[in-house]
Amino acid sequence: MAWNGRRSAGRPRQVIVFLLCVCVWQSGAESLRYSLAEEMERDSFVGNIAQDLGLAPSQLAARKARVVSEGSQQLFRLNPSSGVLTAKESLDREEICPQSETCTLFFKVFLENPLQLIRGEVEVLDMNDNSPTFPEKEMVFHIPETTLPGSSFPLKNARDKDVGSNGLQNYSLGSNSHFSLAVTTRNDGAKYAELVLDRQLDREENPEMNLLLTATDGGSPPRSGTAQIRIVVLDANDNAPVFSRKVYEVRLAEDSPRGQLVVRLDATDADEGSYGKVHYALTETSEGCQQLFDLNPGTGEIRVSGNLDYEEKKKHEMVVKATDGGGLSAHCKVLVELVDVNDNAPEIQLTSHTASIPEDAPPRTVVALFSVRDRDSGDNGRTECTIEGDLPFTLTPTFDNYYELRTSAALDRETTAEYNISIRATDWGQPRLSSRQSVRVQVWDVNDNAPAFSQELYSLWVTENNSPMVRIGSVKARDADAGSNARVQYALVREEGEEQPALSVNAESGDVYALRSLDYERLRALEVRVRATDGGRPALSAQAVLRVLVRDENDNAPVVLHPGGESGAGELVPRWAPAGYLVAKVVAVDADAGQNAWLSYELAKATEPGLFRLAPHSGELRTARAVAERDAPRHRLVVLVRDRGQPPRSASATLAVALLPRFSDAHVRLSHEPPPAEPDQTLRLYLIACLACVSALCLATGLAALLIKVRRDRRKRDEPLPTFPTAVADSDAGSLPRSLVYDVCLAAGTLSSDFHFLGPLLPCFPAGVPPGAAPQRISVCSQETSKLGEGG
């Protein structure tokens, strides 16, 4: 009852599916019909599909037309350039359709862009290429002599593989005096021949006869086959065997095992002894029956001896002969009808096992087309299809058991580049059988991802005075796309009107190079933007910041600001100066930075080493002890200034110190001292000549230096002079703070020794030091003071 209910509930669904299939067939499908004689040569013309469809051959080629035959063997070939359908091989109707009167081969034409399915059929016309044949070359009949005239004896029918008029049409019997031939036509149109006894036999007159039986078909020219009939006349046997039924009808499941009883025949003979003993034999069977069924000659039991298959043949027919010991016989028919069981799983036939689709394809895009077939019948052959797993695809039934595989959501190749879709087809039989087929769907890449740098900011270091085109690092960007869409090229972003940058980026590898030598003192950091562009169409890009920091190198020697000049500076120290008395402060700067600009001071040479000491970090020159009367009045000190770079660089300066008992008396004496006596005239001439030579030499040297400087400026317009700190007081190079800078001025005409500490006057810079340098200690002592120092 439950099964009947399920079938009743499923009938409306079947009706709906059937109506949908009919509508789709009537609206979207066309049918092509052709005919072809069998045994035609290979590549024989079948029909012109392009002409019948009203399409140009170029349209067939553009839409990738192809022909698929139903079944596993592809029998036809379509030429897309001409639209002609040909047979791939010579067709044998008897081999293709052995059980059918008409032989029709079905095929389908698939067109793409847009997808279209067209059904077609080719009828294979029969040719008279087979002669009638008998299952046995000789048929033996044992006929008792008491057999009455008019008795008939069924003959084994001849078989002709051809059909229609080319099939078996008639039987004929060789001339004889006892027998004639009766030919009848059965309901299915087959010819059935019986041997009829016209005159009673006489074993003593003729114990054995040989007759020639001929079967003829209706072809042009006709073909024929023969068999010998041997008649053995037996002694009298009054009773022949009698079957309980003339026809035995049996229903048998197709999955019946070997040895299973099909039917037990019952034939009785009223005679006794050997004349009453019955033996059974198969006299005529349908094709293949002898391999499927076995008859026990003694018991009459028919059992299964082979593998039954409902899908190959649904009915089997056998003629059984029962013969007694006297040679009398009787015949009966056994009709076996097979009952279908669900022993065939659905078969999935794909148009292709690999499909491809762009990742930006819209939903419901057709990916593949396939059909499902179940060789069973009824609910056993009814199927349904599903997709295993949670995938962005869906199945849409079309018609004639065909399904379309479509996308159900947007695809992303970067997430999944390939789908392996498992399609399961399940029938409605008991038990339910299923089969699985995999379809690989490859997703084409679309340029939907821009390159992405590994960092938003790249910081690279380079040491100054580098070689041109030296590699200082690299940038890296990756693109999630594939192929040319993922090929990244790099370039610097240049603003309009911007000068040529000092950096370069390799377009392929992203390596960063310094195009020219960099100077830390001129440029300490450089920042540019780098663009990464992929190879897609349209191209996508991204930017990152590239910051290059220049490392300082000890390429600048210290510059001594005080004491300046080639001959050094003169300092005055009173005789009463105690230990630690500040004599002077050596001021020096270094254009480098960091450790390369850390300066240390030391006395390289001194007239009296024990009198003065120099602070190594501040550069302050102080008395190491109190000045004594025995100390020389004049001292010459050589100060060495060294930085801490590797290798270290140094500079030296000379400092003259004069020890005076009283600052003010010395200045007054120098101010009121009468001018020295003039030298004689000859000495004056020599001095004038020397001065003229030195002046000329200086002028020539200055002109040469000016010319060299002009040439260098033309070559290196981008390299300005080194810059020093804007204020020495702001430098960490050991310079004297502005608040400690002082000048000693001696008032003229005054005998006091008072010191007046004034603010800084107009600064005096040594040669080569720019005006931006720190102020130095200014001495306004006149030339007379210098002379006083020399004479004191």
Side-chain angles (χ1 to χ4, degrees), residues 207-224:
E208 187 172 325
M209 290 182 291
N210 291 308
L211 305 177
L212 181 64
L213 178 64
T214 303
T216 308
D217 63 20
S220 180
R223 291 174 175 266
S224 62

Side-chain angles (χ1 to χ4, degrees), residues 351-363:
T351 57
S352 63
H353 289 271
T354 303
S356 57
I357 186 172
E359 63 176 328
D360 59 348

Side-chain angles (χ1 to χ4, degrees), residues 546-712:
L546 174 63
R547 180 180 298 164
V548 178
L549 304 175
V550 182
R551 287 193 185 97
D552 181 55
E553 194 176 52
N554 193 25
D555 58 343
N556 291 281
V559 176
V560 180
L561 302 180
H562 178 78
E566 298 180 357
S567 60
E571 300 293 340
L572 303 179
V573 177
R575 286 281 185 178
W576 47 263
Y581 178 83
L582 180 61
V583 178
K585 180 176 177 63
V586 179
V587 180
V589 293
D590 196 312
D592 296 320
Q595 184 174 337
N596 296 328
W598 294 353
L599 302 180
S600 61
Y601 304 85
E602 61 177 295
L603 281 176
K605 189 182 295 185
T607 306
E608 182 62 37
L611 182 56
F612 302 97
R613 61 180 175 86
L614 184 64
H617 300 296
S618 63
E620 292 181 348
L621 181 66
R622 295 178 182 272
T623 56
R625 56 177 174 82
V627 179
E629 291 295 335
R630 66 179 183 275
D631 292 328
R634 289 179 299 175
H635 295 270
R636 187 178 183 85
L637 306 177
V638 177
V639 179
L640 182 64
V641 183
R642 181 183 291 110
D643 60 24
R644 295 187 183 181
Q646 293 295 330
R649 293 176 176 269
S650 62
S652 62
T654 303
L655 185 65
V657 179
L659 300 180
L660 300 178
R662 293 180 65 188
F663 279 13
S664 58
D665 292 346
H667 189 271
V668 171
R669 287 197 302 269
L670 290 174
S671 300
H672 292 83
E673 189 177 45
E678 292 185 3
D680 56 7
Q681 193 68 24
T682 304
L683 182 57
R684 181 176 294 177
L685 292 175
Y686 287 148
L687 291 175
I688 293 174
C690 291
L691 182 60
C693 292
V694 170
S695 300
L697 181 60
C698 291
L699 181 60
T701 304
L703 290 176
L706 181 61
L707 291 176
I708 293 175
K709 185 176 184 305
V710 170
R711 290 186 178 181
R712 289 181 177 176

